[in-house]
Structures are given as C-alpha cells and as structure tokens.
Amino acid sequence: MDSTPNLFTRCPTNPIITPDDLPYPVNTVFNPGAAVVDGQTVLLMRVEDRRGISHLTVARSPDGVGGWVIDPRPGLQSAPQRHPEEVWGIEDPRVTWLPERRQWAIAYTAYSRRGPLVSLAVTPDFRTFQRLGPAMPPDDKDAALFPRRFGGRWVLIHRPIPVRGDAHIWISYSPDLRHWGDHTLLLEAREGAWWDAGKVGLGPPPLETPEGWLIMYHGVHVTASGSLYRLGLALLDLDDPRIVLHRSDEWVFGPAQPYERIGDVVGVVFPCGWVHDQVSDELRVYYGASDTAIGLATAKLREVLDYVRSCPRPQRRRASDRP
Ligand code: BMA
C-alpha cells in the first residue's frame, strides 16, 4: 500500500494507455520515457511484441493526459544485424534534452546475449533516431543522462549488477558520450527487511530544481509471491551530483490499484519519464503498471521537494563499503 498517499495522485483515467490502444497487435505497453516537444507531451513507450521482443513507439498528446495519438509503427526497434547487442530487443528508455546538442538523448536497455546493457541514441524530434552505441557492458540498466556537462564531462546514472553483493545505483563520467570512467557508487540498496533492499534503480532522468537534482528510484522487495517494485525519492547536490543530500526512508508510491497488481508482472510500478509544468508546478510521472499498461501520477513539485528535504541525510558509507 502507499505509505505517503497524499504526495502523488493517480490520474482518474488510469491506465492512460493499454495494449488495446496500439494501432497494431502487441502484447504489452509500459515503462515510457517522456518529453515535451513543441507543446505536446511525447511518450517513448516500451512495447513488447507477441514474440516477447520489445521496441520503442511514440505517442503524442496535447495535454499529457488524454487524446493520445500513437504512431502506426515502431520509432526505434532493435537492429540485431548492425547492433548484435540488441538481439532480444530494446527496453525502458529515459529521455533527456541536451541543450548543448539541441537533441534529445535516449538511454535505453539493449538486451544482448550476454545480458542487458546500457545503450545511447539521440533524436531531434522523435521521428528520426541515431544510435551512439553501448555505453556500459552487461549487466547494466536503468540509466539516464544529466542534461548538461559537469566540469566539461557528461554524467550518466546507471545500475550495474555486480557478481558479488547487491545492485546499487552508480554515476559515471564521459568527455564525449562514448568513453566512460570515474565510476562512483551513488545510492545503495538497503539491507534486510527494507522496501528497497537488494536492488535499486533510477526511474526518470534527474530533474533540476533550485534545491538540487530530484531523483525518483525504484526499490525491489522480494516476497514469497514475487518482487514488489515501489518508488522512493532522493535529492542530489546541484554542483556535484555524487553527493546525496536527502533520501526518503519510506516509499512514496507503490502498486495498489488492480492494474498495478494484475498483469504480466504483478506488483510493479516502474516510471521512466516525468514532465514538470512550470506554470502549474505539476509534476507528471509516467509509469509502467504491472509491465502491461501505462499509468500517470501527479504531484506538485513544491510539495515533493518539501517532502524530500524533510527526509534524512544518508549516513556516511562505511569505508569498507566503497567500491
Ligand atoms: C526490471 C526491468 C523493467 C521491468 C521490471 C519489472 O528489471 O526489466 O523493465 O518493468 O523489471 O518486471
């Protein structure tokens, strides 16, 4: 159940997009990236076809809530001949506007024979796409770029799975979006009975606010009947995003409605995109619901920031926990 029920409100017309809305036969539609392009809300949706392979398809809406017009064919689909790392599809796009390049960057999961990895692509308009290629080797996913450079370098948040230990969120740096280094542990999965024990991963791309970079992340709780995916918040330092200023102890959103509890994967809310309306201060979070449909939850950004700033500063890591 939701523990902070008043922060985010579900859209009354949820789920806002279901597999039946696609103009061609699909299995499921979920985990969309989001952007505002020429006043329209654009969702870059993960669509799983009826083989089990995912591609990305564009939906557009004038208000980000209804009236969705969905492209008649995939916008970006795996091309295993030229990109063998995409042999089993492409998934879970996170979209970031890069003012310096005047392009949207898409960090997505390429499902390779060796496991999921992080790939990058760019687009000026969500009509044509250009691949930049893999950024991180497998297993790695849940990645997004910051919109600008820090000290001349691009910054990527991502979630590698180590051979030993839990799956934590990392941050890495690149001069050219191709060569990545200075890998640093950013946000750790907690331990034991915690809601985010064992596995955490970034949700939508970091959102710049006057108080810091707002992060929403998923935490996985493994139960006898499967994994529960719930959402928490953190705030990163504006100038040095390796510094976590605050992190919510409680989850702020979790599977509660039937469409979040019943589907191909039960008990999952999984956002990959959000949009902030400067005029109304509304933060719109687009999420996959039980890996089957797309839900929308909204909040006032002001209230979200007030909440996250009331959350504890994470404890200093023990020296032995450092990578
Ligand atoms: C994660 C990703 C997501 C998916 C979630 C729940 O590992 O694969 O695409 O929504 O699991 O199945």
Side-chain angles (χ1 to χ4, degrees):
M1 287 293 132
D2 288 347
S3 59
T4 314
N6 295 326
L7 206 48
F8 288 91
T9 306
R10 287 175 176 79
C11 178
T13 52
N14 267 358
I16 56 167
I17 298 178
T18 71
D20 289 342
D21 296 325
L22 271 285
Y24 53 95
V26 305
N27 178 45
T28 46
V29 56
F30 53 117
N31 300 5
V36 174
V37 184
D38 297 332
Q40 287 200 309
T41 301
V42 171
L43 295 185
L44 188 61
M45 310 181 295
R46 171 176 173 190
V47 176
E48 190 183 289
D49 69 20
R50 295 167 77 106
R51 300 170 301 166
I53 309 291
S54 291
H55 59 263
L56 309 181
T57 294
V58 172
R60 293 181 178 81
S61 156
D63 61 4
V65 178
W68 295 98
V69 176
I70 301 176
D71 281 357
R73 59 188 68 84
L76 189 63
Q77 57 186 332
S78 59
Q81 303 293 335
R82 274 169 293 131
H83 301 277
E85 74 277 6
E86 297 180 359
V87 63
W88 290 325
I90 56 177
E91 307 177 350
D92 301 354
R94 275 83 167 183
V95 170
T96 304
W97 173 248
L98 307 183
E100 178 189 319
R101 294 177 61 120
R102 304 195 56 73
Q103 284 175 322
W104 300 92
I106 304 159
Y108 61 97
T109 303
Y111 197 167
S112 83
R113 283 186 182 278
R114 301 283 168 245
L117 57 84
V118 175
S119 270
L120 296 176
V122 288
T123 178
D125 52 9
F126 294 91
R127 295 179 203 281
T128 58
F129 299 85
Q130 184 200 339
R131 284 175 173 79
L132 302 183
M136 295 290 160
D139 277 13
D140 203 326
K141 50 165 72 170
D142 302 326
L145 276 172
F146 285 76
R148 56 178 166 81
R149 298 173 190 249
F150 293 75
R153 295 188 300 172
W154 299 103
V155 186
L156 185 80
I157 292 181
H158 58 113
R159 205 285 309 280
I161 299 213
V163 175
R164 270 199 201 104
D166 295 333
H168 308 303
I169 297 175
W170 290 63
I171 188 166
S172 300
Y173 293 79
S174 169
D176 57 5
L177 295 176
R178 293 189 65 81
H179 305 89
W180 294 91
D182 280 349
H183 310 294
T184 306
L185 191 54
L186 177 67
L187 204 102
E188 290 165 288
R190 282 179 267 217
E191 297 178 322
W194 278 85
W195 68 273
D196 55 357
K199 225 183 195 186
V200 289
L202 184 72
L207 181 70
E208 188 166 14
T209 79
E211 275 107 313
W213 295 95
L214 182 66
I215 298 289
M216 176 176 258
Y217 70 94
H218 62 260
V220 181
H221 178 60
V222 180
T223 77
S225 52
S227 293
L228 276 172
Y229 280 70
R230 295 184 284 215
L231 309 175
L233 297 167
L235 199 64
L236 311 181
D237 185 86
L238 263 190
D239 299 322
D240 183 354
R242 292 171 305 177
I243 300 170
V244 183
L245 301 174
H246 300 276
R247 176 179 181 178
S248 63
D249 272 346
E250 299 186 345
W251 67 87
V252 295
F253 195 77
Q257 294 299 312
Y259 54 88
E260 296 157 348
R261 291 191 161 269
I262 301 165
D264 268 11
V265 185
V266 303
V268 178
V269 291
F270 199 96
C272 291
W274 55 13
V275 164
H276 176 234
D277 184 311
Q278 305 273 359
V279 178
S280 64
D281 195 39
E282 187 175 74
L283 182 64
R284 297 200 296 267
V285 180
Y286 296 94
Y287 62 96
S290 61
D291 283 14
T292 298
I294 293 176
L296 166 61
T298 61
K300 293 285 180 198
L301 180 60
R302 180 71 267 148
E303 290 175 15
V304 173
L305 288 174
D306 288 347
Y307 171 76
V308 72
R309 282 170 65 234
S310 75
C311 294
R313 285 180 178 263
Q315 289 181 343
R316 250 181 185 288
R317 291 187 201 109
R318 290 159 292 173
S320 59
D321 283 348
R322 291 200 177 275

